[in-house]
DNA sequence: CAGTAGTAGCGTTAAAACTACACATAAAGT
DNA sequence: ACTTTATGTGTAGTTTTAACGCTACTACTG
């Protein structure tokens, strides 16, 4: 029995590209790979790959990020579908971009080496191939959007972290400085931070308290842009 | 000279599906078509079509909406890429959903008849094929998000409209009632409405002033979700 | 061991935004 | 002229934001 198929239509390779964010307690970074194949060999690009038969988009995106970082169950969200007809000089493809948030210290360094990958601070990115620059811009905008309404630290920070560290992350995301007192109040008011009885040592004289996330509450708040969580007529900006 | 191509990868039909919103001065409506072909013949679905070679995604989405409505230069925004591997029983496809906002009275009625298309109030939708229900939900959420930070009337309303009409639209979008005075203040404060010296006649005794949009300012505010316009750490909801 | 330096952490206040709510006004129809 | 019906306006109380000055720890120094 022959499988049914659509007639008289084009078929295209469907790529998944991953914008992988990591935070090193200082700056927000992006994991890029140096292409060792044509076209655009030796130039930098996002990690990508092609969709396989019988594989969901989300699964494919996960597979691709895992193949570079070794990490599973990474937080990812679909960003946008990029499909300019001439975006890829080899063949007409469309690419669904996903962004991922990972703890920069968790990744598999061997894998990263094998792919000639490297972390770049987001304000010092090299030139990227194709439309990858555009993807990165979109991902930054989305991350900012997301961070504004829920603490994004859970994915980017280690299990325990201090408020100054969280603030550092936010300042990296927004590329600006924030008021310590207001930031603190705002984050705490979201009700997902749990203070531990442990203090950070060695960094500052006084030492800051470590916090963790209340995973339960955090998960409830975490919803993609299309999720239900958008408030009814929230304030204009 | 042979064209270069990628090796050993699958290729897929790429569909575009359009969530077409229209407003008839009463309710928010969706334009759906009755399928006259298998599978799922006689059931309702979104208007869709397949991507062609050398056609940008946005252009393809436009083409598809135009083919049903006769309207060109419709406001559209990419919504999300849907790609469950079993989403289409005929063949594995991926679909990029776009939503469109049109003035319901402008569409080409012949075309709509030819496709056996029909407008449905968004709170009385029939059962839809595949994952189209999910797409509609996502589109509603996105429209709500968008409407909260910029007046969305321009695309959905005729050139001139009254504030009560605009409010009617918002109430349809949010499926709730709004306070007249607060709504009015909020819309006017966005600074894109221009009062004309013309009054609506025949509908209410007193008659309401017609307004138009200041297209210049309006365009500046109109940016897709990924645009830059997201405020720096806007209020929590 | 006392003083200093450098962050961490707290509280207050003024401005802005939001919410809720009630009455006057224009014009059509009798 | 009076009634009817929807349009249009103002205000007060509350909540949220934004700006800002000061105290509290503790490691290091002499």
């Amino acid at each position: 029995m022959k499988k049914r198929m659509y007639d008289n239509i084009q078929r295209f390779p469907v790529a998944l590209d991953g914008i992988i964010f990591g935070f090193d307690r200082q700056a927000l970074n992006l994991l890029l790979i140096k292409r060792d194949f044509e076209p655009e060999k030796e130039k930098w690009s996002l990690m990508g790959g092609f969709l396989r038969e019988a594989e969901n988009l989300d699964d494919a995106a996960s597979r691709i990020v895992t193949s570079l970082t070794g990490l599973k169950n990474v937080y990812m969200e679909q960003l946008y579908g990029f499909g300019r007809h001439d975006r890829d000089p080899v063949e007409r493809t469309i690419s669904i971009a996903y962004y991922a948030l990972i703890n920069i210290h968790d990744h598999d360094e061997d894998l990263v080496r094998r792919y000639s990958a490297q972390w770049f601070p987001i304000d010092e990115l090299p030139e990227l191939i194709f439309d990858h620059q555009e993807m990165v811009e979109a991902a930054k905008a989305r991350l900012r959007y997301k961070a504004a309404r829920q603490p994004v630290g859970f994915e980017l920070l280690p299990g325990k972290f201090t408020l100054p560290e969280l603030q550092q992350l936010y300042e990296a995301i927004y590329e600006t400085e924030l008021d310590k007192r207001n930031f603190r109040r705002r984050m705490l008011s979201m009700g997902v931070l749990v203070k531990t009885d442990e203090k950070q040592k060695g960094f500052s004289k006084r030492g800051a308290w470590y916090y963790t996330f209340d995973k339960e509450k955090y998960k409830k708040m975490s919803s993609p842009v299309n999720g239900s969580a958008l408030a009814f007529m929230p304030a204009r900006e």
Side-chain angles (χ1 to χ4, degrees), chain A:
Chain A
M1 174 183 146
K2 191 169 177 298
K3 208 182 162 195
R4 287 183 301 178
M5 301 270 274
Y6 288 108
D7 288 333
N8 303 321
I9 56 164
Q10 286 282 144
R11 291 178 176 74
F12 305 93
V14 175
L16 291 304
D17 285 302
I19 297 98
I20 305 175
F21 288 105
F23 182 65
D24 62 5
R25 304 209 172 206
Q26 282 277 322
L28 194 61
N29 291 267
L30 222 55
L31 186 56
L32 301 175
I33 64 174
K34 194 182 218 164
R35 285 167 74 96
D36 60 353
F37 51 90
E38 294 296 348
E40 308 269 16
K41 194 175 169 182
E42 300 296 306
K43 287 183 108 181
W44 293 95
S45 85
L46 297 169
M47 181 66 185
F50 289 107
L51 180 67
R52 297 175 183 164
E53 185 74 38
E55 184 182 46
N56 295 335
L57 283 179
D58 293 353
D59 296 336
S62 283
R63 166 172 60 80
I64 285 156
V65 169
T66 300
S67 71
L68 176 57
T69 62
L71 301 176
K72 300 189 175 179
N73 299 115
V74 164
Y75 181 86
M76 297 186 70
E77 232 178 81
Q78 189 188 114
L79 188 60
Y80 199 77
F82 292 83
R84 277 219 329 274
H85 70 87
D86 57 354
R87 59 177 298 280
D88 183 329
V90 177
E91 180 178 355
R92 198 278 159 86
T93 63
I94 70 147
S95 170
I96 315 288
Y98 278 74
Y99 75 97
L101 307 179
I102 74 172
N103 181 339
I104 204 169
H105 299 295
D106 284 352
H107 72 269
D108 183 323
E109 297 191 13
D110 284 342
L111 279 170
V112 163
R113 243 191 310 276
R114 199 176 319 154
Y115 281 102
S116 315
Q118 195 176 310
W119 288 98
F120 288 87
I122 55 165
D123 54 356
E124 296 171 29
L125 296 180
E127 198 189 335
L128 299 175
I129 64 163
F130 302 175
D131 48 6
H132 288 193
Q133 182 65 40
E134 205 182 327
M135 294 179 179
V136 170
E137 289 306 319
K140 281 164 69 176
R142 180 71 72 84
L143 181 56
R144 284 178 187 163
Y145 167 73
K146 184 182 168 63
R149 43 198 66 209
Q150 58 192 251
V152 289
F154 185 60
E155 300 88 357
L156 290 160
L157 293 170
K160 61 186 184 186
F161 54 88
T162 67
L163 280 173
E165 281 171 348
L166 186 60
Q167 183 171 347
Q168 186 77 34
L169 168 59
Y170 267 74
E171 293 183 341
I173 291 175
Y174 290 104
E175 297 181 80
T176 187
E177 292 189 2
L178 298 172
D179 182 276
K180 184 176 34 164
R181 296 149 288 191
N182 294 336
F183 176 80
R184 195 172 264 275
R185 189 181 5 255
R186 176 100 163 245
M187 286 296 140
L188 292 173
S189 77
M190 291 188 186
V192 296
L193 298 187
V194 182
K195 191 176 186 174
T196 68
D197 52 3
E198 199 180 345
K199 258 195 181 175
Q200 186 184 51
K201 290 180 137 185
F203 177 66
S204 75
K205 308 200 170 174
R206 180 170 178 178
W209 293 104
Y210 277 118
Y211 284 77
T212 59
F213 283 100
D214 178 331
K215 294 196 189 180
E216 291 299 311
K217 287 191 190 163
Y218 186 77
K219 291 258 164 80
K220 276 182 203 157
M221 297 183 73
S222 280
S223 57
V225 165
N226 283 313
S228 59
L230 295 167
F232 159 65
M233 280 204 76
R236 85 197 90 164
E237 344 196 323

